[in-house]
Amino acid sequence: MTDLTTLLNEEQFEAATAPDGPLLILAAAGTGKTRTLVYRVVHLIERGIPPEAIMLLTFTNRAAREMLERAEDVTGGATRGLWGGTFHHVANRFLRKFASKLGFRPDFTIFDAEDQRTLMGNCIKGLGFKPSEFLKRELVLSLISGATNRGLEFEDYAESRIEDTEIPLEQVIKVADEYARLKIQNNGMDFDDLLVNALRLLTEHDDARLFYQEHFQHILVDEYQDTNILQSQFIDTLGSPHKNVSVVGDDFQCIYSWRGSNYDNIMSFPDRYPGTLIVKLEQNYRSLPEILKVANASIKQNKKQFEKTLRSTRASLHAKPTVYSVYSDTEQAARVIEIISKAVSAGYSYDDIAVLYRSHFHSSQIDRELTKSNIPFAVTSGIGFYEQAHIKDILALLRITIFPVEKLALMRVLQLLPGVGAVTVERIWGKLGGVFEVEKENHRKNLLAFLPAKARPFWSAVDVALEEFVANNRSIKAVNDLVDKFINLFYIKHLSQQYDNAEERKDDIFELVADIEQHYDLTEYLANITLKTNVDREKDKKDQTSEETPHVLLSTIHQAKGLEWPVVIVVWLTEGMFPSSRALLEDLSCSEERRLFYVAVTRAKDNLHLFVPRVRFMHGGGRMDCIQSRFIKEIPEELVRNVEFSFNSPGFGGGYSPSYYRRF
């Protein structure tokens, strides 16, 4: 028997060696949940539970593989036969055995993302709808998946999400029904179907349910706070006879409700499983105690929670997190560069540093400043702010107002119109003589005349906006009116028919316009953006052909969960930005947003920097005084260092130099 007392702390030991019955392991950030779960598996096997009678459910195959490999090393290979993998992996194994009960052959096909897009495209065309005038196939697939993972009727879920489009709900339902029919006809399932059908198998067929209930004596689940309603029901159904269900999670880190995770799953676990043993892991191995004090103080503001208090195993270096009050995003970006440079001078690598933010558009100024400063960086999404499709669409619109031979920009904008494809644009470009001067009325009239009939009503509205823009001397201040009209007269419908996050993309565009308005010359701005994106592309090519060099990471907080860095910088901690204005409308208590802040804080190991701009420049030339985020206000003053810059303009020199704390 492995002596777990020498390998685990008291909390971990209690969780790993808990007796049979329902077990809820509340593993706060950085407390060694993976280690605990691994030794829970080891303990069960050494107790005599056959490995094939143990199921370990995770959210990634990598996580399952790593845990099983570690358990196998400890037990000398005794874990072979254990069922480990993602929910989809396990569901697939169930269905291969009993597919015929649901009307499928055992050799059913699993449709990957490309297969789904192809099949959905066939549905749209097959029903007589024109793809260019219908919802984008990816959007319909997203609607189907969103409804499925929330356990909602498709009609109810889709109705509110397509209201900004002119596509009738009945047509969307018809396409969704046809997609479901074609999947069955082709003996195939997509990823969501694996979960749905595995649950159907267990609930509708007693023999299959009893077979698996008797087969699995213990069920272990990682990251339980991220489960959706289907996954929770799957676990509950399998574990109902013996109740040997061990789940590991942290209600403080439940931040994915927008993609279907259900906070009530973890909160109601003790109610659904009477007699649940609750073990809290609160000993943190990651962060300095000063950082944890901030995290604890913040998350205590949430009412509905399992109370936990993080305790650091690291000695204090008296390194309080720093809150910086800066004038604007321009100064914020410059101060971030200072912090990064200072950290590298102190001995940190660029790989040790992350800049975290609530929404992607918060990174635009920092993205540009890092490029100007020749600091290597990467973006977790893989797509920089200016490389996003909707941002490139707006930049293309602006380029055709400045550069008369911008064929590619004109092609990009015109192909947004119904009935206009690459061949049509090539023909139009030829008729225009290879030049389009927006200030010339005859050029604009010719373009309108050359367009297909169905596209003219859309472009005629844009044409008026272009004429007004030229009349205003193509000034920076006129950019807002042009883009506003472009969005309201046409582009918002395009966004709503293409993406499931149209409003967030509109926010990005407004941020772009606000950024443009802080400059003096549109031509120079567009040229600089082109140079920047070209530099980024060359950097990407270099990274792909040589060993990856150390780099600062720019990431949304959602994408940073599960990661850690010695130096963490969190930007835009103001009301409306973080917490986001949309979140404020949906939940006045901001509980999930506060959990998101907690996740951001607990990514930091040594140094935590929190930025609060005092002013935000808005599209349209306005300036808004910012209110400090409630998440900063809720932190007791004695837990942080407050640094307030008194500059009344974005320009500055010299200033505060941050100190760094590092354990060498």
Side-chain angles (χ1 to χ4, degrees), residues 230-394:
L230 292 178
Q231 293 159 337
S232 176
Q233 290 173 353
F234 181 76
I235 296 162
D236 289 353
T237 303
L238 274 179
S240 62
H242 51 69
K243 300 291 192 295
N244 291 331
V245 178
S246 302
V247 301
V248 181
D250 182 9
D251 55 304
F252 290 178
Q253 297 184 74
C254 184
I255 58 173
Y256 296 121
S257 66
W258 52 276
R259 69 182 189 197
S261 66
N262 190 332
Y263 186 62
D264 285 338
N265 287 349
I266 191 167
M267 297 307 298
S268 66
F269 186 86
D271 296 328
R272 301 198 317 275
Y273 290 86
T276 293
L277 172 63
I278 299 177
V279 180
K280 299 179 182 180
L281 306 187
E282 300 172 294
Q283 198 164 319
N284 178 284
Y285 294 87
R286 176 186 299 158
S287 307
L288 288 174
E290 287 77 11
I291 293 171
L292 298 185
K293 287 178 182 177
V294 169
N296 289 332
S298 174
I299 201 64
K300 281 182 180 177
Q301 306 300 317
N302 277 1
K303 305 302 180 188
K304 185 180 178 182
Q305 61 172 259
F306 292 110
E307 291 186 9
K308 298 179 290 296
T309 302
L310 285 168
R311 306 184 309 275
S312 180
T313 61
R314 299 177 60 186
S316 171
L317 294 178
H318 307 290
K320 291 181 180 180
T322 304
V323 177
Y324 301 88
S325 173
V326 294
Y327 177 71
S328 68
D329 63 339
T330 303
E331 184 177 359
Q332 176 178 248
R335 296 297 181 187
V336 167
I337 300 301
E338 282 185 5
I339 288 171
I340 292 170
S341 299
K342 181 75 173 178
V344 172
S345 297
Y348 286 109
S349 164
Y350 286 125
D351 281 337
D352 294 329
I353 306 168
V355 181
L356 306 182
Y357 36 84
R358 172 62 178 84
S359 300
H360 198 28
F361 74 84
H362 296 179
S363 68
S364 59
Q365 188 76 22
I366 295 166
D367 182 315
R368 197 161 62 245
E369 286 300 312
L370 287 167
T371 300
K372 283 171 57 178
S373 302
N374 291 316
I375 293 175
F377 70 97
V379 183
T380 49
S381 64
I383 302 175
F385 179 79
Y386 298 99
E387 286 292 301
Q388 298 176 101
H390 51 293
I391 296 298
K392 293 174 77 172
D393 289 344
I394 300 303

Side-chain angles (χ1 to χ4, degrees), residues 74-340:
V74 176
T75 61
T79 60
R80 291 189 183 94
L82 187 150
W83 282 50
T86 64
F87 284 88
H88 297 96
H89 171 79
V90 170
N92 176 52
R93 291 186 66 177
F94 280 22
L95 292 167
R96 292 296 173 189
K97 185 175 182 66
F98 291 109
S100 60
K101 291 182 177 294
L102 301 177
F104 291 88
R105 297 193 307 273
D107 62 345
F108 64 83
T109 298
I110 300 176
F111 295 127
D112 63 17
E114 184 57 37
D115 294 332
Q116 292 175 56
R117 288 192 291 269
T118 300
L119 193 62
M120 180 56 71
N122 293 340
C123 292
I124 293 170
K125 292 177 186 176
L127 290 171
F129 303 124
K130 293 188 176 180
S132 60
E133 299 174 13
F134 199 73
L135 298 184
K136 192 176 181 181
R137 55 186 180 174
E138 287 86 354
L139 176 53
V140 184
L141 289 168
S142 175
L143 293 173
I144 294 171
S145 181
T148 300
N149 284 292
R150 290 167 175 80
L152 301 174
E153 292 295 326
F154 177 76
E155 179 178 351
D156 297 334
Y157 183 77
E159 184 174 18
S160 63
R161 285 162 176 77
I162 64 168
E163 58 188 7
D164 288 334
T165 75
E166 295 181 346
I167 308 301
L169 178 62
E170 294 75 20
Q171 293 182 4
V172 181
I173 295 171
K174 194 173 182 180
V175 168
D177 289 343
E178 178 67 2
Y179 176 68
R181 188 188 70 80
L182 283 181
K183 283 186 295 182
I184 295 172
Q185 179 180 301
N186 286 280
N187 191 43
M189 304 182 199
D190 60 26
F191 272 40
D192 289 332
D193 292 329
L194 293 174
L195 288 176
V196 170
N197 288 330
L199 186 57
R200 276 186 57 208
L201 177 69
L202 297 178
T203 55
E204 296 175 8
H205 298 276
D206 293 346
D207 55 341
R209 182 179 67 254
L210 291 171
F211 176 83
Y212 285 119
Q213 287 176 339
E214 291 173 2
H215 182 93
F216 295 108
Q217 299 176 33
H218 280 269
I219 300 168
L220 292 78
V221 188
D222 189 23
E223 299 285 8
Y224 187 71
Q225 78 281 346
D226 294 336
T227 54
N228 61 34
I229 191 167
L230 292 178
Q231 293 159 337
S232 176
Q233 290 173 353
F234 181 76
I235 296 162
D236 289 353
T237 303
L238 274 179
S240 62
H242 51 69
K243 300 291 192 295
N244 291 331
V245 178
S246 302
V247 301
V248 181
D250 182 9
D251 55 304
F252 290 178
Q253 297 184 74
C254 184
I255 58 173
Y256 296 121
S257 66
W258 52 276
R259 69 182 189 197
S261 66
N262 190 332
Y263 186 62
D264 285 338
N265 287 349
I266 191 167
M267 297 307 298
S268 66
F269 186 86
D271 296 328
R272 301 198 317 275
Y273 290 86
T276 293
L277 172 63
I278 299 177
V279 180
K280 299 179 182 180
L281 306 187
E282 300 172 294
Q283 198 164 319
N284 178 284
Y285 294 87
R286 176 186 299 158
S287 307
L288 288 174
E290 287 77 11
I291 293 171
L292 298 185
K293 287 178 182 177
V294 169
N296 289 332
S298 174
I299 201 64
K300 281 182 180 177
Q301 306 300 317
N302 277 1
K303 305 302 180 188
K304 185 180 178 182
Q305 61 172 259
F306 292 110
E307 291 186 9
K308 298 179 290 296
T309 302
L310 285 168
R311 306 184 309 275
S312 180
T313 61
R314 299 177 60 186
S316 171
L317 294 178
H318 307 290
K320 291 181 180 180
T322 304
V323 177
Y324 301 88
S325 173
V326 294
Y327 177 71
S328 68
D329 63 339
T330 303
E331 184 177 359
Q332 176 178 248
R335 296 297 181 187
V336 167
I337 300 301
E338 282 185 5
I339 288 171
I340 292 170

Side-chain angles (χ1 to χ4, degrees), residues 333-569:
R335 296 297 181 187
V336 167
I337 300 301
E338 282 185 5
I339 288 171
I340 292 170
S341 299
K342 181 75 173 178
V344 172
S345 297
Y348 286 109
S349 164
Y350 286 125
D351 281 337
D352 294 329
I353 306 168
V355 181
L356 306 182
Y357 36 84
R358 172 62 178 84
S359 300
H360 198 28
F361 74 84
H362 296 179
S363 68
S364 59
Q365 188 76 22
I366 295 166
D367 182 315
R368 197 161 62 245
E369 286 300 312
L370 287 167
T371 300
K372 283 171 57 178
S373 302
N374 291 316
I375 293 175
F377 70 97
V379 183
T380 49
S381 64
I383 302 175
F385 179 79
Y386 298 99
E387 286 292 301
Q388 298 176 101
H390 51 293
I391 296 298
K392 293 174 77 172
D393 289 344
I394 300 303
L395 291 173
L397 172 71
L398 297 175
R399 292 187 72 80
I400 66 175
T401 69
I402 300 293
F403 306 111
V405 292
E406 265 282 6
K407 176 184 176 182
L408 294 180
L410 187 63
M411 288 183 70
R412 185 179 187 95
V413 174
L414 292 183
Q415 286 185 87
L416 297 172
L417 302 171
V420 179
V423 174
T424 302
V425 176
E426 286 284 358
R427 186 173 62 250
I428 291 172
W429 185 250
K431 289 181 178 180
L432 288 171
V435 63
F436 176 64
E437 296 182 63
V438 72
E439 68 272 17
K440 293 185 177 180
E441 186 177 357
N442 65 315
H443 280 219
R444 296 198 312 277
K445 283 184 176 179
N446 286 338
L447 174 58
L448 188 59
F450 296 152
L451 285 168
K454 66 174 63 175
R456 287 176 200 153
F458 297 95
W459 189 255
S460 61
V462 176
D463 181 71
V464 172
L466 289 172
E467 182 180 14
E468 292 175 358
F469 183 64
V470 171
N472 286 312
N473 298 315
R474 287 178 276 215
S475 69
I476 286 285
K477 296 301 179 186
V479 168
N480 177 67
D481 288 340
L482 172 62
V483 174
D484 255 359
K485 287 172 181 172
F486 181 71
I487 290 174
N488 294 328
L489 295 172
F490 161 67
Y491 195 64
I492 188 60
K493 292 177 184 175
H494 167 80
L495 286 179
S496 299
Q497 290 183 201
Q498 295 286 310
Y499 306 108
D500 59 3
N501 60 345
E503 286 299 318
E504 292 175 21
R505 290 173 185 262
K506 190 165 75 169
D507 289 344
D508 287 347
I509 293 170
F510 288 156
E511 191 66 21
L512 172 70
V513 173
D515 185 46
I516 291 171
E517 289 175 332
Q518 301 314 304
H519 294 76
Y520 297 103
D521 185 271
L522 181 58
T523 303
E524 182 180 353
Y525 182 89
L526 293 173
N528 287 337
I529 293 302
T530 301
L531 288 172
K532 180 205 165 343
T533 52
N534 282 340
V535 167
D536 288 348
R537 288 192 197 101
E538 289 303 313
K539 180 178 76 68
D540 290 343
K541 289 178 185 176
K542 185 177 179 182
D543 288 345
Q544 291 168 7
T545 56
S546 63
E547 289 188 9
E548 189 175 359
T549 55
H551 57 264
V552 174
L553 190 70
L554 303 188
S555 176
T556 63
I557 302 165
H558 284 103
Q559 291 175 307
K561 184 174 173 288
L563 303 176
E564 60 183 44
W565 297 269
V567 181
V568 169
I569 303 164

